Amino acid sequence: LDEVVTVTATALDAVPRSAMKVKLQVGEQMTLRNLLYCMIVGSGNDAATVIAEHIGGNQQKFVEMMNKRAKELGCTGTTFMNAHGLHDPKQVTTARDMAKITTKVLDYPEFMTIFGTDKYSVPATNTSAARYLITVNYMLDIEYRFSFYNSKVTGGRTGITEFDERCLVVTAQDDDSTFVGVIL
């Protein structure tokens, strides 16, 4: 996660103009960890494509990796077509499959830390001032969204596109029980 990633024009060009972005810039260098914060806390679709290109070599190879891993996890109703998650008529999933994927990420404490972060300050980079990110998952944000906050919620990610209504994947802990909730 400390590996430094350089943002490319190819990765940024893969993100639709209307997408949520953290305004990454071509040539900008950032750690993979901070890109994950940008993607998860900051809703940065641009960060998702930069990560995908870095891990997979290009978007298509990363999508192939995503689909292969989904099948390994027993996801039978999921086909990914892009790394940013925005609408594609061929990209489909089910709540059950999203729950299977989310259950697997519970095994990664560092990911769960990022998944459960409500606010994060990304340090300045070679091309950008520091960025301050605030989650849009209201159940994590006690300061700004107190009426929705729930202390048992340990992580979550929201989603919305022009074609899909609001979606939510959330994790929670109560005593010794861990819960995964998915709303599509």
Side-chain angles (χ1 to χ4, degrees):
L1 294 178
D2 293 324
E3 188 174 350
V4 175
V5 178
T6 301
V7 177
T8 69
T10 306
L12 296 183
D13 289 346
V15 183
R17 287 186 190 182
S18 62
M20 291 287 296
K21 300 174 185 149
V22 291
K23 300 181 182 176
L24 297 173
Q25 302 170 35
V26 174
E28 185 168 6
Q29 296 183 318
M30 186 180 292
T31 65
L32 188 53
R33 175 181 286 102
N34 284 329
L35 283 167
L36 283 170
Y37 276 104
C38 287
M39 181 180 80
I40 295 168
V41 179
S43 301
N45 297 109
D46 49 351
T49 59
V50 170
I51 292 168
E53 183 180 89
H54 178 73
I55 302 270
N58 64 49
Q59 295 293 317
Q60 186 54 42
K61 286 182 184 172
F62 188 78
V63 168
E64 290 169 11
M65 293 168 67
M66 290 171 58
N67 284 318
K68 180 181 178 201
R69 186 66 176 131
K71 296 287 184 240
E72 291 170 358
L73 294 174
C75 300
T76 58
T78 296
T79 302
F80 295 111
M81 298 304 294
N82 60 57
H84 50 65
L86 296 172
H87 182 75
D88 181 301
K90 295 179 183 174
Q91 182 158 278
V92 296
T93 194
T94 67
R96 181 182 307 261
D97 285 357
M98 285 291 102
K100 286 179 182 181
I101 292 167
T102 304
T103 299
K104 185 61 183 171
V105 302
L106 293 170
D107 294 340
Y108 299 93
E110 183 117 26
F111 181 85
M112 289 306 297
T113 295
I114 298 168
F115 198 53
T117 298
D118 62 338
K119 292 172 216 56
Y120 185 75
S121 184
V122 179
T125 67
N126 61 318
T127 64
S128 175
R131 293 172 174 91
Y132 188 68
L133 310 172
I134 300 174
T135 185
V136 294
N137 181 351
Y138 298 166
M139 290 183 286
L140 288 172
D141 190 349
I142 191 168
E143 184 176 339
Y144 293 105
R145 314 279 195 231
F146 183 75
S147 61
F148 295 100
Y149 175 75
N150 186 314
S151 63
K152 295 178 182 180
V153 172
T154 58
R157 188 61 230 133
T158 62
I160 187 168
T161 72
E162 60 188 294
F163 298 96
D164 304 313
E165 294 297 322
R166 297 175 190 271
C167 301
L168 173 69
V169 174
V170 65
T171 57
Q173 186 76 36
D174 188 21
D175 299 320
D176 293 331
S177 298
T178 301
F179 300 91
V180 173
V182 180
I183 301 170
L184 301 179

